[in-house]
Amino acid sequence: MARLIVVSNRVAVPSRDGSDLAGGLAVAVRSLLKQHGGLWFGWSGTVAADGDVTTKALDAGGLSYVVTDLAEADYQEYYKGFANRVLWPILHYRLDLAEYSRRDLSGYRRVNAHFAAQLHELLQPDDVIWVHDYHLIPLAKMLRDRGHRNRIGFFLHVPCPPPDILTALPNHEWLMPQLSAYDLVGFQTENDAANFARYLETECKLEKRGGYTFQSNGRTVRIGVFPIGIETAEFRELAVRSVRSTVVQNVLQSLAGRAMVIGVDRLDYSKGLAQRLDAFDRFLAVYPDWRGQVTYLQITPKSRAEIEEYAEMARKISEAAGRINGAYGEAAWTPIRYVNRAYSRTVLAGLYRSARVGLVTPLRDGMNLVAKEYIAAQDPEDPGVLILSRFAGAAAECTDALLVNPYDPEAVATSIAHALSMPLEERRARHKALFQAISVSDLRSWGELFLATLTKSADLPRWHEQIGMAPSLSSSAA
């Protein structure tokens, strides 16, 4: 039985009191580790004083974890610096927001080298290693340099822009080619995979061996498309139960029969919150009959609050919501409820089910699981309508949503009005198609398919041709 080693920037160790809000990747990883055995390695979340950095193993919830601290300089340069001020904006097509420094790149290299050194002590020759996201791009190359020949896969959860943008990344010629040290590099969409394949062809001059397979220094690297999903059936059941919860019922009573539009996003410029508020402003201006009849609930937990740019963004979004409420609100009606706190998945599931419209309009997103959760939560007999940015990865699968350009407030405003007045028959038809789409590539299929592909040597077919065909790790050649 091959042991699975999952590596990510942060490790979601279950809390002792059971108040675990983890979703997405954490749910998938825990499920895979329970089935295949192994451990989850990454940053503990602790920033330690210089000289006090420790790495420790622990068990929680029947699973094994190995977590390591970061020194203050590492946190500032690797995490806040190169990862969040360079890679995050550029991978989201925002060259204008990148702030590069050699010091931060040095910190990024140093932390990846630290991860590689710690993993070197843990790895066994037949371990299968799955590395996640842009924080750890060089990790496979560093492990290869230490002599490890394990199967190593990488999955990029965020978008992958075309070569014209990737080459604007300072030191891209050092960083991006290191992805060829992986055996399999996975992306959310065909567009992302094609962009990276073009980079390997045009910038790295790698020999193409058919499809998305390349030769690099005597090794084969494959590119695959693996759209991440959710626990579709489980989330639907959760929504049915949680709509009756006290929190959700209190929200519904406070609406006094008004329709609810819901948006749930962490505070980040990639989510298009400013443009979304502009669109709702236009909706109220152009469709005055809906004033007093609809309430827009925007749940936006603050993230990276210690970074100055994010604090400024929080201020501007709050001001925009206040301006719109001041312009259109009445004593008995507030158009926008803007909330800066996190809610449990249980509460969110009930709120999604209760909302007539799900407003998911990022400027650019690798996938966006809120869109899939909104679909899963709906009552199929009386479903709400999803309005989805065409620049979210989810748009590739969710073609029966109302797809919009988030940069066009007039078009988004029109879609809000369309969604609110959509006939029941059309809503049912759209929801049926959307639910089928997200059921095909659910969270379990995503993880098992990636690992099965990683441990096989055959060329990679398109993702939708493989669903249900993934063998277990134990039966695959490592």
Side-chain angles (χ1 to χ4, degrees), residues 366-377:
M367 176 52 65
N368 196 300
L369 295 181
V370 168
K372 295 187 174 185
E373 289 176 344
Y374 179 80
I375 295 167

PDB file of all heavy atoms in Angstrom, residues 366-377:
ATOM      1  N   GLY A 366     -10.050  30.509  -9.450  1.00  0.00           N
ATOM      2  CA  GLY A 366      -9.659  29.193  -9.919  1.00  0.00           C
ATOM      3  C   GLY A 366     -10.865  28.296 -10.118  1.00  0.00           C
ATOM      4  O   GLY A 366     -11.019  27.657 -11.156  1.00  0.00           O
ATOM      5  N   MET A 367     -11.758  28.240  -9.104  1.00  0.00           N
ATOM      6  CA  MET A 367     -12.983  27.466  -9.223  1.00  0.00           C
ATOM      7  C   MET A 367     -14.148  28.276  -8.678  1.00  0.00           C
ATOM      8  O   MET A 367     -15.028  28.685  -9.401  1.00  0.00           O
ATOM      9  CB  MET A 367     -12.857  26.129  -8.485  1.00  0.00           C
ATOM     10  CG  MET A 367     -14.132  25.296  -8.483  1.00  0.00           C
ATOM     11  SD  MET A 367     -14.850  25.027 -10.124  1.00  0.00           S
ATOM     12  CE  MET A 367     -13.587  24.033 -10.913  1.00  0.00           C
ATOM     13  N   ASN A 368     -14.203  28.490  -7.389  1.00  0.00           N
ATOM     14  CA  ASN A 368     -15.264  29.114  -6.605  1.00  0.00           C
ATOM     15  C   ASN A 368     -16.313  28.075  -6.210  1.00  0.00           C
ATOM     16  O   ASN A 368     -17.249  27.766  -6.958  1.00  0.00           O
ATOM     17  CB  ASN A 368     -15.942  30.287  -7.310  1.00  0.00           C
ATOM     18  CG  ASN A 368     -16.734  31.128  -6.303  1.00  0.00           C
ATOM     19  OD1 ASN A 368     -17.657  30.631  -5.655  1.00  0.00           O
ATOM     20  ND2 ASN A 368     -16.345  32.379  -6.130  1.00  0.00           N
ATOM     21  N   LEU A 369     -16.107  27.529  -5.013  1.00  0.00           N
ATOM     22  CA  LEU A 369     -16.996  26.486  -4.509  1.00  0.00           C
ATOM     23  C   LEU A 369     -18.298  27.032  -3.949  1.00  0.00           C
ATOM     24  O   LEU A 369     -19.251  26.272  -3.758  1.00  0.00           O
ATOM     25  CB  LEU A 369     -16.269  25.651  -3.453  1.00  0.00           C
ATOM     26  CG  LEU A 369     -15.072  24.861  -3.974  1.00  0.00           C
ATOM     27  CD1 LEU A 369     -14.426  24.054  -2.857  1.00  0.00           C
ATOM     28  CD2 LEU A 369     -15.477  23.944  -5.124  1.00  0.00           C
ATOM     29  N   VAL A 370     -18.365  28.344  -3.694  1.00  0.00           N
ATOM     30  CA  VAL A 370     -19.633  28.934  -3.257  1.00  0.00           C
ATOM     31  C   VAL A 370     -20.699  28.699  -4.323  1.00  0.00           C
ATOM     32  O   VAL A 370     -21.862  28.403  -4.012  1.00  0.00           O
ATOM     33  CB  VAL A 370     -19.471  30.437  -2.965  1.00  0.00           C
ATOM     34  CG1 VAL A 370     -20.828  31.114  -2.791  1.00  0.00           C
ATOM     35  CG2 VAL A 370     -18.623  30.647  -1.716  1.00  0.00           C
ATOM     36  N   ALA A 371     -20.317  28.818  -5.584  1.00  0.00           N
ATOM     37  CA  ALA A 371     -21.276  28.592  -6.670  1.00  0.00           C
ATOM     38  C   ALA A 371     -21.843  27.179  -6.601  1.00  0.00           C
ATOM     39  O   ALA A 371     -23.054  26.958  -6.744  1.00  0.00           O
ATOM     40  CB  ALA A 371     -20.589  28.824  -8.017  1.00  0.00           C
ATOM     41  N   LYS A 372     -20.972  26.202  -6.371  1.00  0.00           N
ATOM     42  CA  LYS A 372     -21.428  24.812  -6.319  1.00  0.00           C
ATOM     43  C   LYS A 372     -22.247  24.543  -5.064  1.00  0.00           C
ATOM     44  O   LYS A 372     -23.217  23.767  -5.098  1.00  0.00           O
ATOM     45  CB  LYS A 372     -20.228  23.875  -6.419  1.00  0.00           C
ATOM     46  CG  LYS A 372     -19.516  23.973  -7.773  1.00  0.00           C
ATOM     47  CD  LYS A 372     -18.434  22.918  -7.938  1.00  0.00           C
ATOM     48  CE  LYS A 372     -17.854  22.962  -9.341  1.00  0.00           C
ATOM     49  NZ  LYS A 372     -16.869  21.880  -9.593  1.00  0.00           N
ATOM     50  N   GLU A 373     -21.858  25.160  -3.955  1.00  0.00           N
ATOM     51  CA  GLU A 373     -22.629  24.987  -2.722  1.00  0.00           C
ATOM     52  C   GLU A 373     -24.018  25.593  -2.869  1.00  0.00           C
ATOM     53  O   GLU A 373     -25.009  25.015  -2.384  1.00  0.00           O
ATOM     54  CB  GLU A 373     -21.890  25.619  -1.550  1.00  0.00           C
ATOM     55  CG  GLU A 373     -20.641  24.854  -1.142  1.00  0.00           C
ATOM     56  CD  GLU A 373     -19.857  25.527  -0.041  1.00  0.00           C
ATOM     57  OE1 GLU A 373     -20.086  26.729   0.215  1.00  0.00           O
ATOM     58  OE2 GLU A 373     -18.999  24.858   0.559  1.00  0.00           O
ATOM     59  N   TYR A 374     -24.115  26.736  -3.535  1.00  0.00           N
ATOM     60  CA  TYR A 374     -25.430  27.354  -3.733  1.00  0.00           C
ATOM     61  C   TYR A 374     -26.331  26.424  -4.548  1.00  0.00           C
ATOM     62  O   TYR A 374     -27.508  26.228  -4.223  1.00  0.00           O
ATOM     63  CB  TYR A 374     -25.286  28.706  -4.424  1.00  0.00           C
ATOM     64  CG  TYR A 374     -26.618  29.374  -4.681  1.00  0.00           C
ATOM     65  CD1 TYR A 374     -27.278  30.048  -3.653  1.00  0.00           C
ATOM     66  CD2 TYR A 374     -27.243  29.282  -5.917  1.00  0.00           C
ATOM     67  CE1 TYR A 374     -28.526  30.631  -3.870  1.00  0.00           C
ATOM     68  CE2 TYR A 374     -28.482  29.857  -6.140  1.00  0.00           C
ATOM     69  CZ  TYR A 374     -29.125  30.528  -5.111  1.00  0.00           C
ATOM     70  OH  TYR A 374     -30.358  31.091  -5.329  1.00  0.00           O
ATOM     71  N   ILE A 375     -25.787  25.843  -5.606  1.00  0.00           N
ATOM     72  CA  ILE A 375     -26.571  24.917  -6.433  1.00  0.00           C
ATOM     73  C   ILE A 375     -27.039  23.728  -5.606  1.00  0.00           C
ATOM     74  O   ILE A 375     -28.217  23.346  -5.625  1.00  0.00           O
ATOM     75  CB  ILE A 375     -25.732  24.434  -7.626  1.00  0.00           C
ATOM     76  CG1 ILE A 375     -25.402  25.603  -8.572  1.00  0.00           C
ATOM     77  CG2 ILE A 375     -26.452  23.326  -8.383  1.00  0.00           C
ATOM     78  CD1 ILE A 375     -24.316  25.272  -9.589  1.00  0.00           C
ATOM     79  N   ALA A 376     -26.106  23.121  -4.872  1.00  0.00           N
ATOM     80  CA  ALA A 376     -26.429  21.917  -4.102  1.00  0.00           C
ATOM     81  C   ALA A 376     -27.486  22.180  -3.045  1.00  0.00           C
ATOM     82  O   ALA A 376     -28.287  21.298  -2.725  1.00  0.00           O
ATOM     83  CB  ALA A 376     -25.163  21.358  -3.453  1.00  0.00           C
ATOM     84  N   ALA A 377     -27.503  23.384  -2.501  1.00  0.00           N
ATOM     85  CA  ALA A 377     -28.401  23.703  -1.387  1.00  0.00           C
ATOM     86  C   ALA A 377     -29.842  23.927  -1.819  1.00  0.00           C
ATOM     87  O   ALA A 377     -30.749  23.890  -0.990  1.00  0.00           O
ATOM     88  CB  ALA A 377     -27.896  24.955  -0.663  1.00  0.00           C
TER      89      ALA A 377
END
